[in-house]
Each structure stands twice: as C-alpha cells, then as structure tokens.
Amino acid sequence: MADQYDVVIIGAGPGGYNAAIRAGQLGLKAVIVEKRSSKKLGGTCLNVGCIPSKALLHASELYEAAGKDFDKLGIGVGKLTLDLAQMLKQKDDAVEGLTKGVEFLMKKNKVDVVLGAGEIVAPGRVRVGERELQTKHIIIATGSDVTPLPGVDIDEERIVSSTGALSFASVPKHLVVIGGGVIGLELGSVWRRLGAEVTVVEFLDRILPGMDGEVSKQFQRILKKQGVNFKLSSKVTGAETLKTKVKLSVEPAAGGETEAIDCDAVLVCIGRRPHTEGLGLEKVGVKMDKRGIIETDRFKTSVDGIWAIGDCIHGPMLAHKAEDDGVACIELIAGKAGHVNYDAVPGVVYTYPEIASVGKTEEELKEAGVNYKVGKFPFAANSRAKTNHETDGFVKILADAETDRVLGCHIIGREAGELIAEAVLAIEFGGASEDIARTSHAHPTRSEAVRQAAMGVEGWTMQA
Ligand code: FAD
Ligand code: NAD
C-alpha cells in the first residue's frame, strides 16, 4: 500500500524545508523529497549558494583586510599567507553544520524525508523510485538552475558555474566573469581578494540591473577602485579551452568586431532558470510560461491540489522569499490566511561594501509617475563609519511626497544587509520616513545614517 500524507513537498531548499517545518507545526502529516546526490537537505542555498558563498566572502574579506588594512590600525600580522585548502574546508564545514541542522529540524517537526527524484504521476500521487507517496496536496519546491550560455560549455573546472567557483583548487591568475549580476560580483570579489585579476563582461551598459541606478553607478566605481575590470555592453560569443588557458570571443552587445580575451578560468553567471525537468508537469497539465516559470495564483498551480513556491515561480530568486512562500503556502493549505508582501522583500549583495535594497527604485517611481521625495546620507558623514575608516557608500530613502510613506530604501555600505531591516519593517508596517526620523538610534552606529537619510526626506538632516 502507498504511503498516505497530507502534503508531499518536492525539493528541500529554503522553500521546501520551511514549508515542511510549518506543516509539522500545524499538525499536517508531511514528507519532503530531495534528489541531491550528496543526500544533503537545504537545497541550493545551503549546499552551493548563500551559505558557501558567504563563508568565502567573509574569509576573503578578512584576508584582504589583514593584508591591506590592519597595519593602519597598528596591527602587524607578519607575512600574509593563504591556505586555500583550509579556507575551502571551513566553507564546507559551515555547509555540513547547517545541512545537518535541517535534518534535525525535519525530525523535530515529525516530517518524513525521502531521498530520490520525485515525479508527479497524477494529482495526489508522487513517485520516488519504486515508492509511491499518496497525498492531498503536492508542493513543488524544486528551485532553480544555472542558465547556460550557448558556445561556453561549463565543465566545472575551468569554465565554471557558481558551484565550481566555490571550489577552485587554486586561485586563477585571470578570471573572466560573464554577467555583472549578484553572483558575478560576489564570487568575482572573493577571487579578486585572494589574488586573481578579475574581468566582468556584462551585456548591459550597467552592472546589477534592477538595482537603483545611482547605487549601481557608485558601486561600479568602488569595485573599479578595488581592481575589478569591467567590459560593459559586451557579450561573450564563444570559448575555446586550450591546454593552459581559455580563449574567449567577446563582441560589443550591439554587434561589431570580435576581440579575444585569454584567461585561466571563466565563471558563467547570466541568471538562473526554474528547475522543473523530470517532474511530469506537462503530463499532469501544470501550466508554465515561456521561460519555464510555473504559473501560480497564491501558490496554486493550474491543477487542483498542486502548489508551487520559491525559485520555480515568479518573483525574486531569493532564499528568504522562498522561505516566506513556503510558510504562506502551508498556511493556505491549512485554511489560514497565508500571505507574502512582495513589496517588502529585501535584496542584499554581500560584497564589500554591501548593497541592500527594498521597495521601489527611483527609476521605477519615475516610470510609474509617482510623486516622491528623496533623503540621502553619506557614510563619510557618519561618526562610526569615519572612526572605523569605512566611509564608502550612502543611504537613500524614497518616500511618497504627499503621504510620506516609505516606498524604497537603497544602501551601499558596510553591513548594509543588516541596516536594511528597519526600512523593510517600515515598509511592511506602512510607516513614514518621519517614523524612522523620530525613532531613537544608538550612537555611534551606522544605523544613524539610516535615520539621517530619513530626516533628509524633510530636509532636517543634522550631521552632514
Ligand atoms: P532550491 O534551494 O534550489 O532547492 C530546491 C531543491 O529541490 C534542490 O535541493 C533540488 O535538488 C531539489 N529538487 C529539484 N528537483 C527535484 C525532484 N524532482 N525531486 C526531488 N528534489 C528535487 N539567496 C539569498 O537570499 N541570499 C543569498 O546570499 C544567496 N546567495 C546565493 C549564492 C549563489 C551562488 C546561488 C546560486 C544562489 C544564491 N541565492 C541567495 C539564491 C538562493 O539560493 C535561492 O533563491 C534559494 O535556494 C531558492 O530556494 P528554493 O527552495 O526555491 O530552491
Ligand atoms: P543576475 O540576474 O543577478 O545577473 C545576471 C547578469 O548577467 C545580468 O546583469 C545580465 O544583464 C547579465 N547577462 C545576461 N546575459 C548575458 C550575456 N549573454 N553576456 C553577459 N552578461 C549577460 O543572475 P546571477 O548573478 O546569475 O544570479 C542568479 C540569481 O541568484 C539571482 O536572481 C539572485 O537573486 C540569486 N542570488 C542572490 C544572491 C544574494 O541574494 N546575495 C547571491 C547570489 C545569487
């Protein structure tokens, strides 16, 4: 007889495992299915995404600071050395610890785990190898995969995706990053700090498309100062792997003369696409758009009893968004009022300095014809940032000109990813810039720059 469940969740990433935990909490009999060959739970995020990349960003930032900044503070570290194998090991240890943590959470919340590839054979029926799971509800939480670039075949050794770029056995002399988005700038930063020459080839005329234009411009200047080379409005049309190097053909995006670039390694990161192959979606009639994104209405797919969340549906491909989708989806299944406010999902780029953003950009407000005010404050005028010699960047707050409601916040600066939380909360609570401006902020902290930017919306900044 087949196993009987209330909900079968396919995919154990942040979307799937948070849905599973919430299901357990609400007393639903749940099972999570995961096909990763390492048998580890946690999905892209814990295994080959957020966690290992942040482990390397942290370690490489300290390495660079030790070599370049410590002496200014009167700290001598002698001759700087890099033990790359150890740096990679501490990254793997972080992954191991957190993926074990997810296993523990499944046990604690009485969620069954089935290892193997799940296929939907019919609504209410999921096959995993020889086994069949019968259920009232199926949640597709299968995440996303690397978008391939024709003519540049990934071998995960010299031409790598983000996964290969988390484990280079030695520091490449020259790394070409194709795509000036989040992955390219984060992992490009890691290998530049460890000694690689890094060239970013970006199709558009700017990096980080989708981010506020002023942020993207200033950030590119900062990265250039750090030594990153940029080739904007350019496309890679082919790659030839030779004995000791890779030869890339690069053209202007609008077409024109081809240029050859020689390098030791290439990172392809031109975006990610939904991971839905082998799930049987076409057979059961689950509708997807042209890009393979599963179409949903409050997580319901076009087939009754089949739901989808996270990277494989519309919205930003972010772990915390997948997590919120998972919780809300289970709550809806359980008859509760599950809800996600997609206007208040922050995005963070974990470079140095960090970039953090929530809500609308200036470009979006202009395009929508919204009448808005801007408050801006530079870290060069923030006492904590000055004291710590970390003055790159600014805080920018966008508020509705009539109601003062906070519509967006964009930050470049050390720990911007932590600072953004109060702007997220302001947007979630429908707060005004004056609410932030009149809230006490500890001194001396970088968070005072957020308050000063909010004061700037009404023109009463005190410290700049
Ligand atoms: P995933 O995490 O992709 O999990 C889906 C799981 O489903 C996978 O484990 C897959 O093996 C499994 N699966 C697929 N098909 C089947 C099947 N048929 N049967 C069984 N199992 C299946 N986001 C952030 O918010 N912050 C970051 O700092 C960040 N850094 C990132 C760095 C990198 C290098 C990358 C690549 C991504 C990063 N992301 C980050 C994005 C984040 O990883 C994703 O948004 C998030 O993992 C999406 O969660 P998910 O649950 O939808 O899917
Ligand atoms: P991305 O969408 O952030 O950036 C891709 C970049 O490649 C864009 O700038 C795009 O214009 C460019 N591009 C597209 N085609 C190109 C081509 N042929 N030649 C040159 N450039 C080209 O995608 P990504 O960096 O691959 O990241 C994928 C996803 O993973 C993102 O959606 C992001 O949300 C998620 N992620 C998040 C974090 C984080 O939250 N810190 C970190 C890493 C990844």
Side-chain angles (χ1 to χ4, degrees):
M1 201 186 123
D3 301 286
Q4 296 285 337
Y5 289 95
D6 293 318
V7 56
V8 173
I9 300 161
I10 309 178
Y17 79 74
N18 281 286
I21 293 169
R22 193 72 187 120
Q25 287 171 345
L26 294 178
L28 298 175
K29 185 165 161 44
V31 57
I32 195 160
V33 182
E34 173 54 57
K35 72 170 184 183
R36 198 162 280 277
S37 56
S38 65
K39 300 186 167 42
K40 287 188 181 145
L41 308 185
T44 303
C45 176
L46 269 62
N47 289 285
V48 290
C50 327
I51 296 307
S53 61
K54 265 78 256 179
L56 290 182
L57 278 156
H58 175 66
S60 63
E61 191 180 323
L62 291 180
Y63 173 77
E64 182 168 54
K68 187 162 92 31
D69 301 331
F70 280 14
D71 58 344
K72 280 184 258 165
L73 306 176
I75 304 169
V77 287
K79 190 176 169 320
L80 192 67
T81 59
L82 173 65
D83 180 349
L84 183 60
Q86 172 58 25
M87 196 178 277
L88 297 179
K89 183 184 173 299
Q90 63 82 36
K91 170 214 47 157
D92 295 338
D93 290 347
V95 169
E96 181 69 20
L98 288 169
T99 53
K100 283 254 155 63
V102 176
E103 271 177 42
F104 164 78
L105 286 169
M106 294 304 101
K107 274 197 196 110
K108 184 176 167 211
N109 289 285
K110 302 190 172 46
V111 175
D112 288 347
V113 175
V114 173
L115 296 175
E119 186 191 346
I120 304 173
V121 285
R125 289 173 54 203
V126 174
R127 190 188 303 138
V128 188
E130 302 288 293
R131 197 163 162 186
E132 184 166 312
L133 310 171
Q134 289 191 358
T135 179
K136 293 183 194 132
H137 301 274
I138 296 169
I139 300 180
I140 303 166
T142 49
S144 63
D145 233 333
V146 180
T147 302
L149 178 60
V152 186
D153 296 333
I154 292 173
D155 58 24
E156 294 298 11
E157 278 186 23
R158 282 197 281 170
I159 303 183
V160 299
S161 70
S162 51
T163 301
L166 292 167
S167 301
F168 282 131
S170 60
V171 179
K173 275 203 203 79
H174 184 196
L175 169 67
V176 172
V177 172
I178 310 179
V182 194
I183 292 182
L185 301 182
E186 285 188 353
L187 293 178
S189 291
V190 165
W191 295 104
R192 185 204 56 74
R193 291 167 187 166
L194 299 181
E197 179 192 346
V198 172
T199 303
V200 175
V201 181
E202 164 59 48
F203 187 79
L204 300 176
D205 59 359
R206 55 168 291 183
I207 58 169
L208 292 177
M211 285 271 180
D212 189 89
E214 197 179 358
V215 166
S216 138
K217 240 188 230 145
Q218 173 149 352
F219 188 52
Q220 193 191 333
R221 275 200 294 270
I222 293 172
L223 287 178
K224 236 175 167 171
K225 235 176 25 189
Q226 292 177 1
V228 179
N229 308 308
F230 289 96
K231 272 191 92 57
L232 301 185
S233 306
S234 302
K235 62 181 177 196
V236 174
T237 50
E240 202 185 339
T241 307
L242 305 172
K243 228 179 184 173
T244 56
K245 62 184 176 189
V246 180
K247 206 179 236 330
L248 290 177
S249 311
V250 183
E251 271 180 29
E257 223 165 275
T258 304
E259 171 194 356
I261 299 184
D262 289 348
C263 56
D264 313 276
V266 180
L267 164 58
V268 180
C269 46
I270 58 165
R272 293 177 64 82
R273 59 181 187 182
H275 183 156
T276 52
E277 305 91 37
L279 269 173
L281 298 190
E282 291 84 0
K283 255 190 287 170
V284 287
V286 170
K287 279 201 190 128
M288 289 171 278
D289 74 5
K290 277 191 296 221
R291 294 162 54 209
I293 299 174
I294 299 174
E295 288 182 357
T296 52
D297 176 10
R298 302 193 80 203
F299 315 113
K300 279 187 175 158
T301 70
S302 52
V303 177
D304 261 3
I306 303 184
W307 308 69
I309 58 171
D311 275 13
C312 61
I313 68 168
H314 285 275
M317 288 184 168
L318 295 172
H320 42 287
K321 179 264 185 188
E323 182 178 329
D324 290 353
D325 281 359
V327 168
C329 180
I330 287 292
E331 288 177 347
L332 289 171
I333 287 174
K336 295 182 173 291
H339 171 71
V340 180
N341 178 2
Y342 293 106
D343 287 333
V345 177
V348 177
V349 188
Y350 296 85
T351 41
Y352 179 80
E354 287 182 353
I355 296 186
S357 167
V358 63
K360 304 288 182 215
T361 63
E362 271 206 80
E363 291 76 13
E364 285 169 334
L365 293 178
K366 275 187 192 136
E367 196 171 322
V370 175
N371 191 9
Y372 66 95
K373 295 177 292 184
V374 184
K376 229 178 114 180
F377 194 81
F379 281 103
N382 170 270
S383 56
R384 185 64 181 274
K386 270 159 71 173
T387 309
N388 291 3
H389 318 286
E390 293 163 340
T391 52
D392 274 338
F394 59 82
V395 180
K396 172 157 128 180
I397 290 184
L398 306 170
D400 188 290
E402 275 125 57
T403 63
D404 193 33
R405 196 173 171 145
V406 178
L407 301 174
C409 179
H410 308 280
I411 308 177
I412 304 185
R414 171 175 278 295
E415 289 169 10
E418 308 290 338
L419 296 177
I420 200 72
E422 70 172 301
V424 178
L425 209 59
I427 292 181
E428 181 66 34
F429 288 3
S433 77
E434 189 177 353
D435 291 325
I436 300 178
R438 293 196 183 273
T439 299
S440 180
H441 287 64
H443 174 78
T445 61
R446 289 184 188 85
S447 72
E448 287 176 287
V450 179
R451 183 185 194 184
Q452 293 292 333
M455 288 168 155
V457 172
E458 289 294 339
W460 58 293
T461 293
M462 323 235 29
Q463 291 176 2

